[in-house]
Amino acid sequence: MQQDATNILDDLGNVAGYVISREDHRILYYNRRVERVSPQVRVGMICHQVWPEGCQNCPLHTIGDAETSTSISSGDAFGEVVDISATKTVWEDGTPAYIITVAPHQFTEIEQQAILDRELLMRGILQIYDSVVSVDLSQDSYTFLSQYRGPGKQPFGRTGTYSELIGGVADRLEEPERQAYLSAFMPAAARQVWQNTAKDPYLQHRWRDALEEEPRWYETWLVRVQDPFGQRQLAVLLSRCIQQQKEDEQRLQEALEIDNQNLRGVCGKYIVRDQNVYLLQGSDRYFQLLDTSPSDYRDGIFPGMDPRQRRRYICMMVEKSALHEPISLEFARQKKDGSTQWLQVQFIYTGQRGNAPLYYGILVDITARKMLEKEHHELFEQLPVGVAKLLLDRDLSLLEANRAYLDILGCEMADMIDGALAWVHPDDRDQVQREVEAARGGAPLDMEMRVRRRDGTVVWVQVQGRPAGELDGVPVTQVVVREKTDRHRMRQELEDLRARYRQVIEGGECRPTLYDGATGQFIKPPEQQPGSLSGSVVFDYDLKEDQLTFSEPFLAYFGGEQRVFTKARRLLVHTRLIHPDDRAALRAVLEYCRRERGPVRCYLRFHTLARGMQRFSVSISSLWDQSGSRVLGLVGKIVHDVEQPAEESSPRRDALTGLYDRQALVRQVETYLRFGQQKLGLILVDIDDFSGVNAELGHVAGDALLRNIAGRLRRSVDGHDIVARSGGDQFALLLKGLDGREDLEERLQQVLAKLYQPFSAPHAARGLKMSIGVCCAPDEAATCRQLLARAEEAVQRAKKLGGGRCVLYGEM
């Protein structure tokens, strides 16, 4: 069997295959494709040594309890874009392992269109900038996309390390421009700029090329670009020479000086009278810049401008001149050659002539700046997803949005005057307001909701956002919005299908076949059993996927954190949930349902959370295909024989985290100790200096941290173990069915691995630590009180040793 597996891996052709130990991630086997691409690979190496830049795409980060996991990677050694998959298996001598495959990615139509859009956009940029460099900040790499005519004159297609490229350019700059260049474009610095200001890093700097005597001026931008696969942080580094522009600005600055009322440079002297503004005097450069002559100003300033726009500007100047206020304008005009010219003018009050105010005006040609802003706006508008900036105020005021965002809502910018919240479906507004409140505390936005478009239709959208600074003290967030209506429609169709399944569960006119546990026979009762039982737990067993799904009451009856189980065939006949003496009956009923039609009923004893072993009635029906030749699945319900008070059958939950509270934990421990059937392990997790987190980051961030840790603990154990919040900043895990000390230590390591994964901002900066105490029963504690107290002693011992460590009571 081992030889067959290696032969299959070797025959995969252009698919690379690895076998990696689950315990220490060491390579157990690799195929010929791996050997050709990575000749340095050896059996026994840790897999991180093979693809150090690609670990963030490794599916082992997300496989968790699942059997398989897949991710997409761009720029991989095995191809430009590949699919990386991991599958759990058992290798030689029963070693738990993963099979990892790296295969060329099959592009979807949407992905191909995104790549085409990006290439078209890049071709447009190549016509404007001297240098265009594609940057992957996730991999710290770059590729030149043009013949670099700027600093260094690098060849097309050259690749390398991005931070080294930036450092090399900075080394050839003079201070303080060197530090400014590093502070703008190094990877960490660029991310900080995007996070704090939501603007793209930009710098004007001087550069002395090896063949030039004097330094020349360049401008450099680092512009973010959307990754079609959502995996990497991409950008484009743009650079072009602006020496001529700088020389023009210098000449303009010199021309702006006014000496003893002799006007030199692009300046003018104006008078405001008769509800108009007239030019009294202008320099030669003034008329050259505007391509006009003195005779063009007989009827006032702004000759050649659209009459309505001209009248509006003149009325504003007349109004402000009455208060002697300075006036600043930006406006566009059409030159005689048909081109558009953008001008900025500053009017400064200098005195009176009679009752008429006098002003000096200084003009600057800002056409180049406006064209650059237009280019960036077009780039923003061409993004394939909705992008917007929202003010986190009461109405979620919209500051900026691209065309894709407005198309999702089916509206225009003018329709958003009341804010984005007005477009949210009324049933989802409470949820949105809760998420926004958390975002005000610095948490990222990640939610799905419904919005009502202008035409009245309702669509589902996914909203993801991150902080983007503040405006007048109110937080601003930049969001990406994607429509998810089709996915929710598929989910609703699945729920409808499950509803039809439940109709089968609730029974038909036929009487169920009864399994007699005493004789092992299936019999037809004389009449249908009375329906006096209550508290049904509905289940759905997909035979093809071997997946078993229970309804919500399952957790109330039987505890745990899991309602969906994979590898259900093995679970049903070996589960600790069912009394050992009843497992043979369950196997017989399942086999009967695979070959016979009609519902079957049997009686089984289940271990409940509140009252130990209890007797239940189990009804199972088969779902057949349309031809009636094959069973597709089983559906059924589990009903308790005797009704129980609600307070005994439904353990209490913590409102913030959704975990069981301390009372439910105590009840569970007492139940298992009373029956004495299993060894138990109790793990207490206490957050060190949690009060400091609340004081420094606020209670919203503190609550977010508690929910984060609760989620990690849930994912670290299986569905039969108990996770509880036993105190304000303390959590508890009750591990059931331990086989011994080695089993405890192995499961403890699984918990610690999940718990110690890196935290994201803002909690990462705090350097969070946790003190952990562990105690076992019945070996180290005979009662519930002893178990809780001794685990707490271990926690306190961890704190005395400096915190941030795990202490086992048996080793104190």
Side-chain angles (χ1 to χ4, degrees), residues 379-400:
L379 176 65
F380 179 70
E381 285 294 325
Q382 292 175 15
L383 291 173
V385 296
V387 179
K389 284 185 180 178
L390 298 175
L391 192 65
L392 296 183
D393 57 5
R394 184 181 61 182
D395 301 321
L396 286 183
S397 300
L398 185 64
L399 302 178
E400 186 180 10

Side-chain angles (χ1 to χ4, degrees), residues 401-472:
N402 68 348
R403 184 70 257 169
Y405 178 92
L406 298 174
D407 288 344
I408 290 174
L409 296 182
C411 68
E412 299 298 331
M413 197 69 180
D415 300 323
M416 303 295 295
I417 189 171
D418 294 328
L421 187 62
W423 295 78
V424 178
H425 192 281
D427 294 342
D428 294 344
R429 287 181 185 171
D430 288 344
Q431 173 209 349
V432 172
Q433 288 173 333
R434 288 193 297 270
E435 293 288 343
V436 170
E437 184 62 31
R440 291 192 186 106
L445 279 176
D446 191 355
M447 57 184 172
E448 291 188 358
M449 63 184 182
R450 290 164 291 180
V451 296
R452 193 182 299 277
R453 303 172 59 139
R454 183 169 61 180
D455 60 5
T457 60
V458 175
V459 296
W460 279 92
V461 297
Q462 180 188 39
V463 179
Q464 294 176 307
R466 57 180 178 78
E470 292 185 352
L471 180 63
D472 295 331

Side-chain angles (χ1 to χ4, degrees), residues 576 672 678-681 721 735-740 743 747:
R576 304 166 183 163
Y672 277 87
Q678 301 180 24
K679 291 181 180 293
L680 305 177
D721 298 325
L735 306 180
K736 303 178 184 177
L738 294 175
D739 293 331
D743 188 20
R747 293 167 73 175

Side-chain angles (χ1 to χ4, degrees), residues 85-322:
S85 299
T87 303
K88 290 181 179 178
T89 187
V90 178
W91 200 245
E92 189 174 3
D93 298 329
T95 302
Y98 301 103
I99 294 181
I100 295 183
T101 59
V102 185
H105 178 66
Q106 300 298 319
F107 291 93
T108 65
E109 292 184 5
I110 295 176
E111 290 171 345
Q112 291 173 343
Q113 185 61 45
I115 294 173
L116 177 60
D117 292 343
R118 183 179 168 193
E119 290 178 352
L120 293 175
L121 181 62
M122 196 60 66
R123 290 180 183 177
I125 293 175
L126 289 172
Q127 302 302 314
I128 301 171
Y129 290 93
D130 299 327
S131 168
V132 180
V133 182
S134 175
V135 179
D136 184 346
L137 290 180
S138 305
Q139 301 287 344
D140 193 20
S141 63
Y142 72 88
T143 302
F144 278 103
L145 301 181
S146 66
Q147 179 66 38
Y148 197 174
R149 300 188 294 274
K153 296 183 173 57
Q154 302 294 344
F156 174 86
R158 173 182 168 177
T159 61
T161 302
Y162 171 68
S163 56
E164 292 179 359
L165 172 68
I166 297 302
V169 174
D171 288 342
R172 302 181 66 178
L173 301 181
E174 299 291 337
E175 294 289 0
E177 291 176 350
R178 177 186 294 116
Q179 291 303 320
Y181 194 89
L182 295 173
S183 299
F185 302 117
M186 287 298 279
R191 294 189 185 98
Q192 190 69 26
V193 171
W194 285 329
Q195 180 178 354
N196 293 341
T197 68
K199 295 181 180 179
D200 294 321
Y202 172 80
L203 184 67
Q204 293 185 1
H205 56 89
R206 289 169 297 175
W207 168 278
R208 178 183 283 108
D209 192 75
L211 302 179
E212 296 171 347
E213 296 181 0
E214 295 296 329
R216 297 172 62 82
W217 279 95
Y218 287 83
E219 66 176 6
T220 301
W221 293 78
L222 186 64
V223 182
R224 283 173 292 184
V225 176
Q226 181 74 24
D227 181 9
F229 308 103
Q231 297 290 321
R232 302 172 297 170
Q233 188 171 16
L234 303 181
V236 179
L237 186 70
L238 308 172
S239 183
R240 65 179 175 183
C241 180
I242 57 170
Q243 181 66 25
Q244 185 62 46
Q245 176 183 329
K246 280 293 186 179
E247 291 175 356
D248 291 342
E249 290 178 1
Q250 180 64 28
R251 287 193 294 269
L252 184 61
Q253 184 66 31
E254 294 171 356
L256 291 178
E257 297 176 1
I258 301 175
D259 183 23
N260 299 322
Q261 298 188 8
N262 293 320
L263 297 178
R264 296 181 296 146
V266 188
C267 302
K269 186 176 181 180
Y270 305 85
I271 187 169
V272 181
R273 66 186 180 195
D274 303 327
Q275 299 298 307
N276 204 341
V277 182
Y278 296 92
L279 177 66
L280 294 178
Q281 189 176 3
S283 67
D284 291 339
R285 291 184 178 276
Y286 182 98
F287 298 112
Q288 293 173 7
L289 177 64
L290 296 173
D291 194 19
T292 58
S293 64
S295 61
D296 295 326
Y297 295 84
R298 294 191 186 97
D299 297 325
I301 64 173
F302 305 130
M305 186 184 289
D306 176 82
R308 288 180 297 180
Q309 185 182 24
R310 176 178 181 273
R311 190 67 241 168
R312 181 163 59 86
Y313 278 127
I314 288 177
C315 290
M316 181 189 70
M317 293 184 63
V318 170
E319 180 180 352
K320 288 184 175 291
S321 67

Side-chain angles (χ1 to χ4, degrees), residues 19 32 74 79 89 98 131 168 189 257 289 313 348 427 472 475 514 526 537 545 567 639 650 653 677 694 710 811:
V19 180
R32 297 188 184 96
S74 302
T89 187
Y98 301 103
S131 168
E257 297 176 1
L289 177 64
Y313 278 127
I348 304 171
D427 294 342
D472 295 331
L514 182 64
V537 176
E545 300 295 333
K567 292 188 176 181
V639 184
S650 300
R653 296 265 182 175
Q677 297 175 342
N694 283 332
E811 298 178 359

